[in-house]
C-alpha cells in the first residue's frame, strides 16, 4: 500500500461504521417508503411525502457527516495523535486529499442511493426522475468536493486555533454574515450568469398525468455554468488555504 491508500484506509477505520450506517439508512428508507405507499396507496400524496422526506433526510444526514468529518481534526488534536500525523514525511495536502476523497465517496454513495430510492417510488405514480438529472446536479457540485473541502477547512481552522468564547462568538457571527456576502456577490456577478458561458443543461423529469411539466422544464435554461466555475475556483482556493494552514500548524 502506498501513502495515499494507507491514509484512505485510516479514514475508513475512523468513519467506516458511520458510512455503513448511512448506507443501511438508505435501505431502511426504501422499506419505510414502501410502507408509506402501502398505507396511502399509489397516489401523489404518497409521492409528495416520499419526495420531501428524502430531500430533507439526504441534506440533513449529509450535513451531519460533513460536521463529523470537520470535527475529526479536533478529535485527533485532543487525542494527541497530531504529533504522529503532522510528523509524517507525507505532505499535508496528501492527508487532506485522502480525507476529501473518502468524504466524497461516502456522500456520493449515500446521496446516489437516496436518489435511486426516490426515483423508484416516484416512478410508481408516473413521475420519472432520471438518474442523469441527479448526477448532473451532483457533478455541478464537483462530485461533492464543493461541500467536503469547506467542511475540512472549517474543521482544521477551529481545531488549530481552538477559539475561546469571544473568538468563537465572532466566528459564528462571521459565518452567519457570509450569507450577506453571498447575496452581495450574487447581485454583483448575477448579471453575468448565462452571458459568458452556455448554460448547464439538466435532463428533464416527466409526469405521465401532466405532460405540461416537460414543456415547462424545457423553458428552464439550466444552471449557470459561471457559478460552476466560481465553485471550482473557491474549492481549489479552500483546499490550498487548508493545506497552508496544515503547514502552519505543523511548524
Amino acid at each position: 500500500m502506498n501513502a495515499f491508500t494507507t491514509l484512505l484506509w485510516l479514514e475508513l477505520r475512523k468513519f467506516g461504521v458511520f458510512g455503513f450506517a448511512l448506507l443501511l439508512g438508505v435501505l431502511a428508507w426504501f422499506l419505510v417508503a414502501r410502507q408509506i405507499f402501502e398505507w396511502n396507496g399509489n397516489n401523489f400524496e404518497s409521492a409528495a411525502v416520499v419526495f420531501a422526506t428524502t430531500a430533507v433526510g439526504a441534506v440533513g444526514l449529509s450535513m451531519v457527516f460533513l460536521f463529523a468529518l470537520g470535527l475529526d481534526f479536533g478529535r485527533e488534536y485532543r487525542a494527541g495523535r497530531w504529533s504522529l500525523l503532522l510528523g509524517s514525511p507525507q505532505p499535508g495536502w496528501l492527508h487532506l486529499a485522502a480525507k476529501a476523497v473518502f468524504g466524497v465517496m461516502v456522500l456520493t454513495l449515500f446521496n446516489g442511493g437516496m436518489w435511486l430510492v426516490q426515483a423508484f417510488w416516484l416512478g410508481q405514480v408516473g413521475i420519472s426522475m432520471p438518474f442523469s438529472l441527479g448526477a448532473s446536479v451532483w457533478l455541478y457540485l464537483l462530485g461533492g468536493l464543493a461541500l467536503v473541502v469547506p467542511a475540512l477547512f472549517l474543521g482544521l481552522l477551529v481545531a488549530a486555533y481552538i477559539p475561546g468564547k469571544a473568538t468563537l462568538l465572532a466566528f459564528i457571527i462571521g459565518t452567519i454574515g457570509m450569507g450577506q456576502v453571498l447575496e452581495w456577490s450574487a447581485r454583483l456577478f448575477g448579471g453575468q450568469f448565462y452571458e459568458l458561458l452556455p448554460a448547464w443543461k439538466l435532463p428533464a423529469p416527466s409526469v405521465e398525468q401532466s405532460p405540461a411539466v416537460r414543456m415547462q422544464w424545457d423553458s428552464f435554461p439550466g444552471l449557470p455554468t459561471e457559478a460552476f466555475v466560481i465553485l471550482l475556483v473557491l474549492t481549489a482556493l479552500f483546499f490550498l488555504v487548508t493545506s497552508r494552514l496544515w503547514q502552519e500548524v505543523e511548524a
Side-chain angles (χ1 to χ4, degrees), residues 230-244:
I230 293 174
L231 276 178
L232 180 62
V233 172
L234 289 177
T235 301
L237 181 61
F238 271 120
F239 187 83
L240 291 175
V241 172
T242 308
S243 301
R244 179 59 182 170

Side-chain angles (χ1 to χ4, degrees), residues 13-247:
R13 287 193 60 185
K14 289 187 289 185
F15 291 103
V17 175
F18 197 162
F20 185 67
L22 288 178
L23 297 182
L24 286 180
V26 173
L27 176 60
W29 174 235
F30 177 85
L31 299 176
V32 172
R34 182 176 67 179
Q35 290 299 317
I36 292 174
F37 274 87
E38 288 182 355
W39 292 333
N40 297 332
N42 289 351
N43 51 46
F44 280 98
E45 180 182 352
S46 299
V49 172
V50 170
F51 177 81
T53 308
T54 302
V56 173
V59 173
L61 291 177
S62 294
M63 292 299 104
V64 171
F65 176 72
L66 289 172
F67 186 72
L69 200 64
L71 283 185
D72 183 58
F73 289 113
R75 185 179 65 174
E76 293 286 352
Y77 183 84
R78 289 191 300 271
R81 289 192 290 265
W82 264 26
S83 58
L84 174 62
L85 289 175
L86 296 176
S88 168
Q90 304 303 326
W93 66 264
L94 192 64
H95 291 274
L96 296 172
K99 289 179 177 293
V101 168
F102 178 79
V104 164
M105 289 191 301
V106 172
L107 286 181
T108 300
L109 289 174
F110 170 67
N111 286 285
M114 292 293 279
W115 182 274
L116 289 175
V117 170
Q118 173 182 263
F120 176 82
W121 289 112
L122 292 185
Q124 304 304 306
V125 295
I127 302 176
S128 174
M129 299 287 287
F131 184 77
S132 55
L133 172 58
S136 296
V137 174
W138 193 243
L139 182 60
Y140 191 81
L141 295 174
L142 306 177
L145 275 176
L147 303 174
V148 173
V149 173
L152 293 177
F153 167 73
L154 290 175
L156 182 57
L157 183 67
V158 172
Y161 294 105
I162 314 179
K165 293 182 179 179
T167 309
L168 182 59
L169 179 60
F171 176 79
I172 294 175
I173 295 176
T175 303
I176 296 175
M178 284 296 295
Q180 187 64 55
V181 173
L182 291 175
E183 180 184 351
W184 289 340
S185 299
R187 292 180 179 180
L188 181 62
F189 298 106
Q192 305 299 321
F193 288 175
Y194 303 108
E195 298 291 336
L196 303 176
L197 298 171
W200 187 286
K201 289 292 186 179
L202 297 175
S206 62
V207 181
E208 292 181 358
Q209 293 83 349
S210 182
V213 172
R214 183 63 178 263
M215 298 176 59
Q216 293 176 357
W217 186 272
D218 290 339
S219 65
F220 174 59
L223 300 173
T225 305
E226 293 84 355
F228 170 79
V229 175
I230 293 174
L231 276 178
L232 180 62
V233 172
L234 289 177
T235 301
L237 181 61
F238 271 120
F239 187 83
L240 291 175
V241 172
T242 308
S243 301
R244 179 59 182 170
L245 180 61
W246 186 294
Q247 295 173 1

